[in-house]
């Protein structure tokens, strides 16, 4: 077993109120000048991460991959993509992180492998009905000659969720044959989790990385593993989950929790137990909580604030409900505003109020021109919202670059786009490349200090957001995050809060059990400090320098120490 295993994992509950920093490895730091971020690049920036004040890093997939979906098409679950380094590089990174008291969370992708995985290559070479094909979902097509997909199920990235293969073996060798299921890109065939071999192989994968010192796992599309493949396949022309009883054909089926009970047994083999957090886009609260039970993964992402308008009542209602839900499930809540799948929140907040998901897609498609945004307001709101979130009980998930106040790179040229959504929708939805552009480290260096010519082009305005431009600047977003995360460790206490004021559309005011008070003004005009608030104890402010004041500026959060 690797020596890194228990270096920093002294507290089994570290995850309950951790600040977790998501790293998209290909866009973080490039150590060898090939234009792609790598594992050694992460190691080179451990000092930066330690100074930032986070408790853990979550690495998006770093496994061998053709990058048909940014690394979420995995060729080998127990190796490192050679373009990103080696297993020795990974071990060195874990050791450096643990030496800096930073935990490591690995992304695991259980719903699908890549079409280059050895299992899928064996399935293509085998005949229908073979054990090799039983690891995936292969079905005969409909129509007179099987020329139609087995069902009407759509892919998340556009187009049908089925692809037909040319048979390589059996009586139909050389002819069009069966179809395989892929809820995402055609390069991502869905695994058959009714197959015991699949379940046991993932237990091996979890142990492989836990033995190398990984402290926890983020579980990609955790709600999608089990499908109802009973013939005839049910019609499901949209990906929306409309039932709350675990009987949807594709998502959030009750049987999925049998899988995670098995995972929990594996994770509990370690001392302390390894953690896990589910990415489960389930619209029904009581269903999502099942993933967060101590007998399952233990925690599930809460995307409610990410999807909420910048409004005091909405934020207050979400926080109150989610904290009660977390207590009921035995987990702690999770909070997030940005990640590798969504438009960065300063850009979302810069758009006109009421701009929905379709409107955001249209804005991206226009290159960020329509509707016209207000970047200053967007960043002001993003800083206030993040400071509000960092003070909440539970764990906070931050996405690389948000500490720099990065906006979405909305005007990436079409020829540079790589997201499969762009191609599978016939260039109608631009996709997620704009939040994945490599980071700017130094404004005066080539490629802003990232390394070689980056795999996605960096916009010129990145210069003003580079680490070098913000390091030491008192009012910079980077210094705001550093200050907030340092105070968070000092002030964090029990997993509860008390609302001090009555519900209000403008001002949110709450207090933690140790007396730490938080005020957020969601309006645009300054608001009077509530009675009893000692302005001399303001320690962090999202919009003005900390210090005595009688007003809360518009779209600003203040932290007041006990």
């Amino acid at each position: 077993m690797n020596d890194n295993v228990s270096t920093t994992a002294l507290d089994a509950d570290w995850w309950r109120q951790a600040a977790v920093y998501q790293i998209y490895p290909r866009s973080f730091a490039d150590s060898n000048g090939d234009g792609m971020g790598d594992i050694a690049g992460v190691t080179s920036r451990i000092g930066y991460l330690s100074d930032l004040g986070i408790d853990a890093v979550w690495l998006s997939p770093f496994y061998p991959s053709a990058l048909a979906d940014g690394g979420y098409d995995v060729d080998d679950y127990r190796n490192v993509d050679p373009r990103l380094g080696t297993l020795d590089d990974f071990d060195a990174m874990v050791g450096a992180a643990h030496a800096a008291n930073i935990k490591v969370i690995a992304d695991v992708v259980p719903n699908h492998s890549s079409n280059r995985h050895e299992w899928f290559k064996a399935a293509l070479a085998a005949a229908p009905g073979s054990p090799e094909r039983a690891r995936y979902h292969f079905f005969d097509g409909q129509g007179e000659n099987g020329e139609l997909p087995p069902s009407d199920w759509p892919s998340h990235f556009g187009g049908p969720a089925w692809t037909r293969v040319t048979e390589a073996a059996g009586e139909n060798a050389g002819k069009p044959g069966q179809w395989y299921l892929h809820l995402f890109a055609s390069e991502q065939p869905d695994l058959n989790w009714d197959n015991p071999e699949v379940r046991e192989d993932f237990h091996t994968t979890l142990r492989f990385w836990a033995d190398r010192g990984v402290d926890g796992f983020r579980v990609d599309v955790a709600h999608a593993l089990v499908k109802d493949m009973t013939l005839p396949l049910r019609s499901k022309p949209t990906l929306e989950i409309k039932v709350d009883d675990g009987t949807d054909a594709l998502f959030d089926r009750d049987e999925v929790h049998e899988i995670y009970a098995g995972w929990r047994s594996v994770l509990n083999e370690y001392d302390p137990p390894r953690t896990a957090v589910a990415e489960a886009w389930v619209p029904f609260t009581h269903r999502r909580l099942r993933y967060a039970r101590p007998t399952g993964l233990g925690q599930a992402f809460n995307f409610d604030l990410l999807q909420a308008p910048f409004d005091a009542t909405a934020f207050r209602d979400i926080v109150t409900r989610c904290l009660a839900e977390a207590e009921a499930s035995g987990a702690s809540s999770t909070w997030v505003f940005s990640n590798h799948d969504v438009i960065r929140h300063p850009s979302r907040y810069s758009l006109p109020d009421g701009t929905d998901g379709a409107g955001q897609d249209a804005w991206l498609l226009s290159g960020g021109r329509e509707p016209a945004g207000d970047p200053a307001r967007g960043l002001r709101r993003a800083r206030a919202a993040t400071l509000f979130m960092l003070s909440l009980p539970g764990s906070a998930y931050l996405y690389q670059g948000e500490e720099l106040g990065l906006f979405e790179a909305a005007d990436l040229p079409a020829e540079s786009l790589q997201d499969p959504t762009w191609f599978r929708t016939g260039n109608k939805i631009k996709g997620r490349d704009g939040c994945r552009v490599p980071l700017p480290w130094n404004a005066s260096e080539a490629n802003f200090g990232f390394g070689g010519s980056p795999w996605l082009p960096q916009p010129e305005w990145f210069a003003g957001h580079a680490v070098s431009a913000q390091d030491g600047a008192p009012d910079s977003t980077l210094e705001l995050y550093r200050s907030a995360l340092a105070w968070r460790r000092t002030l964090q206490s029990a997993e509860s809060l008390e609302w001090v004021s009555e519900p209000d559309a403008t001002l949110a005011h709450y207090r933690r059990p140790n007396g730490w008070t938080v005020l957020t003004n969601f309006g645009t005009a300054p608001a009077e400090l509530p009675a009893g608030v000692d302005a001399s104890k303001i320690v962090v402010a999202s919009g003005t320098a900390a210090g005595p004041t009688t007003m809360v500026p518009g779209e600003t959060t203040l932290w007041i120490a006990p």
Side-chain angles (χ1 to χ4, degrees):
M1 186 172 290
N2 192 291
D3 290 340
N4 293 328
V5 170
S6 298
T7 304
T8 62
L10 301 177
D11 180 2
D13 289 333
W14 67 266
W15 53 274
R16 297 188 70 90
Q17 298 202 59
V20 182
Y21 183 93
Q22 181 190 357
I23 290 176
Y24 196 75
R26 292 170 176 82
S27 296
F28 188 65
D30 169 22
S31 70
N32 61 8
D34 67 355
M36 183 176 289
D38 46 44
I39 299 298
V42 176
T43 306
S44 74
R45 301 295 182 178
I46 292 295
Y48 170 82
L49 296 169
S50 180
D51 290 343
L52 185 60
I54 49 94
D55 301 303
V57 291
W58 149 29
L59 272 71
S60 290
F62 48 84
Y63 315 107
S65 170
L67 304 182
D69 181 24
Y72 284 86
D73 47 314
V74 178
D75 298 348
D76 181 354
Y77 289 92
R78 299 193 282 273
N79 210 337
V80 174
D81 190 318
R83 291 167 294 185
L84 273 66
T86 65
L87 284 171
D88 286 342
D89 292 328
F90 182 85
D91 292 342
M93 183 272 297
V94 172
H98 283 175
N101 292 319
I102 296 173
K103 307 291 194 297
V104 177
I105 297 170
D107 216 320
V108 63
V109 189
N111 179 69
H112 45 264
S113 74
S114 81
N115 61 343
R116 305 196 314 176
H117 191 284
E118 61 178 16
W119 276 4
F120 193 72
K121 290 189 291 185
L124 292 181
S130 63
E132 291 82 2
R133 290 205 172 177
R135 296 167 177 153
Y136 296 90
H137 297 290
F138 279 85
F139 280 79
D140 294 334
Q142 300 186 82
E144 184 177 351
N145 298 302
E147 70 277 9
L148 300 177
S151 74
D152 59 359
W153 300 344
S155 160
H156 279 278
F157 295 150
W162 297 95
T163 292
R164 197 176 193 186
V165 304
T166 298
E167 298 295 352
E171 61 183 19
N172 291 319
K175 298 178 181 179
Q178 289 190 309
W179 299 70
Y180 68 87
L181 176 67
H182 53 87
L183 292 182
F184 293 87
S186 57
E187 295 89 349
Q188 296 168 289
D190 281 36
L191 289 158
N192 177 11
W193 277 87
D194 289 331
N195 189 324
E197 187 178 4
V198 173
R199 298 194 183 202
E200 188 54 42
D201 193 71
F202 269 86
H203 289 179
T204 301
T205 293
L206 294 174
R207 293 187 179 102
F208 179 87
W209 294 111
D211 288 347
R212 302 195 88 89
V214 166
D215 301 286
F217 299 90
R218 179 263 188 185
V219 185
D220 187 59
V221 288
H223 60 301
L225 274 56
V226 178
K227 289 92 172 172
D228 180 5
M229 307 306 291
T230 306
L231 293 174
L233 298 177
R234 283 192 277 161
S235 173
K236 186 175 172 63
T238 74
L239 295 168
E240 187 177 357
I241 304 174
K242 296 183 177 180
V243 295
D244 66 353
D245 60 359
T247 63
D248 186 90
L250 297 177
F251 304 113
D252 190 38
R253 293 183 60 80
D254 286 341
E255 300 92 333
V256 76
H257 298 290
E258 299 171 13
I259 294 170
Y260 296 132
W263 285 31
R264 176 45 55 194
S265 294
V266 172
L267 300 176
N268 285 349
E269 293 172 2
Y270 295 86
D271 183 17
R274 298 303 185 248
T275 68
V277 57
E279 182 208 26
W281 288 89
V282 178
F284 307 106
T285 298
H286 70 284
R287 299 293 304 178
R288 186 179 67 210
L289 292 180
R290 292 164 65 91
Y291 298 85
R293 293 178 301 189
T295 54
L297 294 174
Q299 200 172 43
F301 276 116
N302 165 12
F303 298 111
D304 296 58
L305 283 183
L306 185 155
Q307 298 171 309
F310 188 78
D311 176 83
T313 303
F315 271 47
R316 176 182 174 130
D317 290 348
I318 287 169
V319 169
T320 300
R321 174 173 51 79
C322 290
L323 290 180
E325 293 168 358
E327 183 178 8
S329 69
S332 65
S333 195
T334 61
W335 311 104
V336 59
F337 283 116
S338 285
N339 61 35
H340 65 293
D341 280 334
V342 299
I343 294 172
R344 288 184 177 275
H345 63 291
S347 289
R348 297 200 311 271
Y349 286 142
S350 74
L351 298 177
D353 290 343
T355 304
D356 60 10
Q360 293 174 23
D361 285 340
W363 174 79
L364 271 182
L365 196 60
S366 75
R369 293 183 292 273
E370 298 178 12
D374 182 344
R377 183 187 74 164
L379 183 57
R380 189 167 57 247
R381 286 184 168 189
R383 287 164 56 107
T386 297
L387 199 57
F388 175 96
M389 178 268 281
L390 284 174
S391 63
L392 294 172
S395 53
Y397 283 80
L398 310 173
Y399 180 51
Q400 65 175 45
E402 70 169 83
E403 78 278 14
L404 305 178
L406 290 187
F407 293 89
E408 189 83 359
D411 58 351
L412 292 174
E415 60 271 18
S416 72
L417 299 179
Q418 301 189 30
D419 193 318
T421 304
W422 172 246
F423 304 104
R424 290 183 62 86
T425 61
N427 302 348
K428 294 179 180 178
I429 299 179
K430 203 167 187 180
R432 303 158 293 174
D433 291 316
C435 66
R436 301 177 178 184
V437 176
L439 295 189
W441 293 95
N442 193 312
S444 63
E445 293 182 4
N447 308 313
F448 301 121
F450 167 71
S453 180
W455 64 280
L456 282 172
Q458 299 164 302
E460 289 301 317
W461 56 262
F462 262 29
H465 292 260
V467 173
S468 66
Q470 300 192 50
D471 189 22
D475 294 329
S476 71
T477 302
L478 175 58
E479 293 300 340
L480 171 66
Y481 272 69
R482 286 172 172 170
S483 178
L485 288 166
W487 276 104
R488 185 178 189 270
R489 285 182 172 176
T490 301
L491 298 173
Q492 194 75 294
S493 62
E495 294 175 18
S496 62
L497 58 80
E498 172 195 3
W499 295 104
V500 180
S501 59
E502 292 299 317
D504 186 280
T506 300
L507 199 66
H509 180 197
Y510 62 84
R511 181 180 296 123
R512 299 296 298 277
N514 65 350
W516 172 21
T517 299
V518 177
L519 284 169
T520 300
N521 181 359
F522 286 83
T524 57
E528 289 280 353
L529 275 175
V533 173
D534 186 347
S536 68
K537 294 186 176 181
I538 295 172
V539 293
V540 188
S542 70
T544 59
T549 180
T550 60
M551 306 290 286
V552 186
E555 299 175 327
T556 298
T557 295
L558 307 177
W559 286 3
I560 300 94

